[in-house]
Amino acid sequence: MEFIYTEPIGLTDLAVLEVGTQNCLPDMSFGPGVRDMYILHYVHSGCGTFTTGVRTETIGPGELFLVMPDIVHAYCADSDEPWRYSWFGFVGTFATRLVELAGFTAVSPVRAADSSTSVESLFGNLMSLRNEPAKELLLTALLYQIFGTLAIPDDAPPLRADVGHHVRNAVSFMNARYAERISLHEIAEHVGLETKYLCRLFQQRLSMSPYRYLTDVRMRKACRLLRRQLLGIAEIAQSVGYQDPLMFSRMFKRTIGLSPTAYRENAKLESGTGTY
């Protein structure tokens, strides 16, 4: 395994914390567990499985999978043809937006590279930057290049010039008001579009519905609150926009794969604390 830690001092929009590449042994695995950063993997050869929630996918050459912060996941190399992959670990205020633009979601964290040769070569440049004096900046620039490639699907249908603006406005609206009981009609009204057209734009740009995006936002916030061990389940449900704690618990388990209580217990064990 080749590995680089970085010290991205002063970088807040997008900060690369680690990169690496590994030829895995048969059945080499991680998890179930959680990470506190995004980790984007690209599979060069071989194959393996990636599990989030109750969904397991087999991933092969030319495909990418994204580990999301605070989401329980596991992955394992194939016993006969173990994968070789490279990865970026990153955080930042712009990280979530880049992930969305590249089409990754909590329920769809796997995708093929639309321009596999380009993405392959970009991931292949990781270790060449090991001894560069400004490797943090160069790795961040490389990650922007990768997301730039992923955010432009080869077969993307033509869109009106202003649709990106509408989607950004809807995303900002939901990020600001996720704790409220907002409807699809309110979101569409806020950006000045009909609900059907807004849904089509979200599918084209983010590969999900506005409702799916709002649910993902709420579940990410809920994960953070559960890990802090400060609020009860009913209080967390209210804090992320659910008036009914049972409805929140059902949605959380459907999305994350664990009940809120089980997720909290896992987080408590991982932190080494014995009490709330």
Side-chain angles (χ1 to χ4, degrees), residues 164-197:
H165 171 71
H166 288 311
V167 172
R168 285 194 298 273
N169 279 350
V171 163
S172 297
F173 181 75
M174 286 185 277
N175 283 333
R177 297 185 58 185
Y178 67 89
E180 303 174 26
R181 297 180 64 181
I182 55 177
S183 66
L184 178 59
H185 175 75
E186 287 177 285
I187 299 168
E189 187 176 60
H190 175 76
V191 299
L193 297 176
E194 294 182 354
T195 55
K196 288 184 179 180
Y197 186 59

Side-chain angles (χ1 to χ4, degrees), residues 137-155:
L137 291 174
L138 293 171
L139 286 168
T140 301
L142 188 60
L143 184 56
Y144 270 117
Q145 279 187 274
I146 289 169
F147 275 117
T149 300
L150 295 174
I152 308 174
D154 293 336
D155 59 350

Side-chain angles (χ1 to χ4, degrees), residues 28-57:
M28 182 180 290
S29 64
F30 168 85
V34 297
R35 300 292 179 85
D36 60 357
M37 69 181 97
Y38 288 101
I39 307 178
L40 180 64
H41 298 74
Y42 177 81
V43 179
H44 299 279
S45 61
C47 60
T49 58
F50 180 52
T51 301
T52 53
V54 296
R55 183 176 181 180
T56 297
E57 296 189 51

Side-chain angles (χ1 to χ4, degrees), residues 5-255:
Y5 281 113
T6 66
E7 298 180 4
I9 298 173
L11 298 176
T12 57
D13 289 346
L14 186 67
V16 176
L17 301 183
E18 61 176 61
V19 298
T21 185
Q22 184 166 16
N23 291 297
C24 294
L25 297 174
D27 297 318
M28 182 180 290
S29 64
F30 168 85
V34 297
R35 300 292 179 85
D36 60 357
M37 69 181 97
Y38 288 101
I39 307 178
L40 180 64
H41 298 74
Y42 177 81
V43 179
H44 299 279
S45 61
C47 60
T49 58
F50 180 52
T51 301
T52 53
V54 296
R55 183 176 181 180
T56 297
E57 296 189 51
T58 299
I59 303 168
E63 293 187 294
L64 304 105
F65 64 97
L66 180 71
V67 171
M68 295 192 175
D70 302 324
I71 301 296
V72 178
H73 66 280
Y75 47 94
C76 181
D78 187 74
S79 57
D80 297 320
E81 297 182 59
W83 49 18
R84 179 174 71 89
Y85 56 62
S86 297
W87 74 88
F88 275 90
F90 60 96
V91 295
T93 58
F94 197 44
T96 299
R97 178 61 179 151
L98 289 172
V99 164
E100 293 163 357
L101 288 171
F104 293 104
T105 71
V107 293
S108 295
V110 178
R111 59 161 292 181
D114 296 307
S115 303
S116 57
T117 302
S118 174
V119 173
E120 170 86 29
S121 64
L122 290 171
F123 272 93
N125 289 336
L126 292 180
M127 293 302 114
S128 67
L129 302 176
R130 177 189 297 276
N131 298 316
E132 294 292 335
K135 64 176 181 290
E136 287 84 6
L137 291 174
L138 293 171
L139 286 168
T140 301
L142 188 60
L143 184 56
Y144 270 117
Q145 279 187 274
I146 289 169
F147 275 117
T149 300
L150 295 174
I152 308 174
D154 293 336
D155 59 350
L159 300 175
R160 284 190 351 221
D162 63 345
V163 298
H165 171 71
H166 288 311
V167 172
R168 285 194 298 273
N169 279 350
V171 163
S172 297
F173 181 75
M174 286 185 277
N175 283 333
R177 297 185 58 185
Y178 67 89
E180 303 174 26
R181 297 180 64 181
I182 55 177
S183 66
L184 178 59
H185 175 75
E186 287 177 285
I187 299 168
E189 187 176 60
H190 175 76
V191 299
L193 297 176
E194 294 182 354
T195 55
K196 288 184 179 180
Y197 186 59
L198 179 63
C199 289
R200 184 163 73 88
L201 295 186
F202 263 73
Q203 288 294 340
Q204 291 172 331
R205 284 298 176 106
L206 304 181
S207 300
M208 68 174 82
S209 68
Y211 176 74
R212 181 71 259 177
Y213 178 87
L214 178 60
T215 299
D216 285 354
V217 170
R218 286 170 165 167
M219 294 303 110
R220 287 197 300 269
K221 301 291 185 181
C223 285
R224 287 179 173 83
L225 292 173
L226 286 164
R227 291 180 66 81
R228 290 175 186 169
Q229 312 284 356
L230 298 175
L231 300 176
I233 302 300
E235 293 171 307
I236 291 174
Q238 291 279 345
S239 299
V240 297
Y242 290 89
Q243 304 300 310
D244 183 353
L246 292 178
M247 175 63 74
F248 163 71
S249 295
R250 286 196 293 269
M251 186 59 68
F252 188 91
K253 186 170 184 179
R254 183 185 304 170
T255 306

